[in-house]
Amino acid sequence: MELYTYEELKDFVDRCVRCPLSQTRNHPVMGRGNLKSPILFIAEGPGRTEDQSGIPFTGRSGQVFDRLLSGIQMSREDVYITNIVKCHPPGNRDPLPAEQEACMPYLKYETLLLRPKIIVCLGRIAAQRIIRPDYRITKEHGTFICRKNVYLTSVYHPSAILRDERKFPEAQDDFFAIKKWLSENA
Ligand code: URA
């Protein structure tokens, strides 16, 4: 299978017209971070702030994400973060299955580039796409499975924490478990 560099992939994403989200976006949002990181975070899709900046998690949910990372003594420079769909779904709706499908090749190539040891899904949409279609985030967040030698887990989406700050301690516990996993395995 052919591999692409980060710059090549970003260029594809910047010019992408594979689905109708390309007609309403301001900026496509390519994943970003440390290409040598053992940890790949996958969220669902850019919000309004990210649509303006072209950078993942630059809005309020990004601040929550940064708090969770700093709780385990990590920062954006230590991780790579991307989304299932690279363009903002209008009105912040869930990305449609066809939009997710159209965007999957980019995620596949990002994964091939990174070769992560662990993939952390942020929220239900990513977990149902990456782990299992009937994944129940409220029940299963923080649990680990291994597939093709890559560990998969999920945590609450930062925007779910913004809606209900009581979810923060649970999410932080899941981050502690990820940190422990990394210290033992990466
Ligand atoms: N929410 C997401 O799912 N992704 C982002 O990049 C920002 C907010």
Side-chain angles (χ1 to χ4, degrees):
M1 189 149 179
E2 197 169 354
L3 284 181
Y4 294 106
T5 64
Y6 178 82
E7 287 71 25
E8 283 168 333
L9 280 179
K10 183 170 183 322
D11 202 46
F12 289 140
V13 167
D14 283 345
R15 289 182 289 115
C16 183
V17 287
R18 287 174 59 90
C19 89
L21 293 181
S22 60
Q23 285 152 35
T24 50
R25 73 175 178 226
N26 284 300
H27 294 100
V29 180
M30 175 65 182
R32 200 173 162 112
N34 186 336
L35 295 174
K36 297 208 164 79
S37 177
I39 178 164
L40 168 61
F41 286 95
I42 304 177
E44 61 183 73
R48 270 203 316 140
T49 317
E50 292 75 22
D51 181 54
Q52 296 297 328
S53 66
I55 298 170
F57 279 100
T58 38
R60 284 178 66 223
S61 46
Q63 293 170 6
V64 175
F65 180 65
D66 288 338
R67 269 169 67 203
L68 290 164
L69 274 181
S70 72
I72 56 167
Q73 290 78 47
M74 289 180 100
S75 73
R76 300 277 182 117
E77 282 151 41
D78 302 310
V79 304
Y80 186 91
I81 181 153
T82 193
N83 285 294
I84 299 280
V85 296
K86 310 303 193 227
C87 296
H88 173 55
N92 250 356
R93 63 163 171 75
D94 291 349
L96 302 174
E99 294 160 353
Q100 297 184 29
E101 205 51 53
C103 223
M104 279 315 275
Y106 303 125
L107 185 58
K108 291 219 167 98
Y109 282 111
E110 283 177 294
T111 311
L112 283 170
L113 187 62
L114 218 69
R115 299 213 157 277
K117 293 209 161 87
I118 184 166
I119 294 177
V120 181
C121 298
L122 294 172
R124 173 181 61 88
I125 299 280
Q128 291 188 341
R129 186 83 215 178
I130 304 297
I131 303 180
R132 247 187 22 253
D134 62 349
Y135 195 87
R136 300 275 306 274
I137 190 90
T138 41
K139 277 200 174 148
E140 299 183 69
H141 69 88
T143 59
F144 291 66
I145 63 160
C146 183
R147 189 189 292 157
K148 293 195 208 152
N149 224 19
V150 178
Y151 278 76
L152 307 175
T153 187
S154 78
V155 301
Y156 286 129
H157 192 288
S159 65
I161 299 172
L162 277 175
R163 287 193 298 272
D164 178 5
E165 185 63 33
R166 285 171 305 181
K167 288 195 166 78
F168 187 88
E170 269 184 86
Q172 190 69 86
D173 280 348
D174 293 343
F175 271 67
F176 291 146
I178 292 163
K179 172 88 170 179
K180 181 163 183 287
W181 189 94
L182 284 170
S183 69
E184 287 164 0
N185 297 280

